[in-house]
Amino acid sequence: MSFSICLIGNSHVAAIKQAWTNRAPMVQPDGSVDFLSAGTHMLPALTLEGTLWRAATGPLREKLAYTSGGQEDIELYRYDAFVMMGSGFGLDIPKFTSGYDIASPVREPAGTLTSRASFAAMIASWFENSLAVRLIDTIREVSDKPILMCAAPHMSERVLEDDETLRDQMRYRDPEFLDFVVSCAKAAGADIAAR
């Protein structure tokens, strides 16, 4: 049984492609995996023409051709499944919480206090409006094939130690605050996946 999978996204796809090239894993003889990667700032230049995603700029065409081995446009009808990687979808707690906080009995607030419901709505909106979700919605316009979403990797705790602007913010060491943000992100991701 033949199959064709399209991995698309930002530099996270390029990292997987490099690992794939280095290891050369065995794939079913009649199977194929295409890697299409470009910077998150470039991917909005994909325009849908029928069932073809056309790269509308020269730089985007170059990046897609480089990672795919020559493919500049993406023929969505060719694929049996898609993997959307990174592209603005992932749990970036400092970005989500920049300037906002929830009340805490154990520390002073850092930023504008907002209700838990408002905070959860902001995170849901961030996820819903990510480039990855917008690209998936475009795929869904022409294909009902399975789509696996792979979020950008979670930021290392080392960043909290190395980044002077984050190091002294106690909310990033507050388990109750972090549990709340993570649970909001999980709920938002589950809602998007369900639809």
Side-chain angles (χ1 to χ4, degrees), residues 106-107 170-181:
V106 297
R107 60 180 173 75
M170 294 310 297
R171 62 186 167 165
Y172 299 133
R173 290 172 179 33
D174 179 351
E176 192 269 336
F177 174 77
L178 296 174
D179 287 347
F180 171 71
V181 173

Side-chain angles (χ1 to χ4, degrees), residues 1-54:
M1 173 182 216
S2 66
F3 69 90
S4 182
I5 299 174
C6 175
L7 276 81
I8 185 159
N10 59 7
S11 60
H12 300 298
V13 172
I16 299 290
K17 166 77 163 114
Q18 184 64 48
W20 187 277
T21 301
N22 290 345
R23 291 284 188 194
M26 289 181 28
V27 177
Q28 187 172 323
D30 52 355
S32 68
V33 179
D34 291 340
F35 298 88
L36 295 127
S37 171
T40 301
H41 66 285
M42 292 181 183
L43 289 171
L46 284 171
T47 58
L48 188 63
E49 296 178 11
T51 59
L52 179 73
W53 247 343
R54 188 168 301 283

Side-chain angles (χ1 to χ4, degrees), residues 92-104:
D92 185 334
I93 292 177
K95 190 182 291 185
F96 285 168
T97 62
S98 178
Y100 296 95
D101 202 350
I102 56 174
S104 170

Side-chain angles (χ1 to χ4, degrees), residues 127-139:
F127 273 54
E128 187 64 43
N129 292 301
S130 69
L131 175 62
V133 172
R134 292 194 320 260
L135 293 173
I136 287 171
D137 286 342
T138 303
I139 293 170

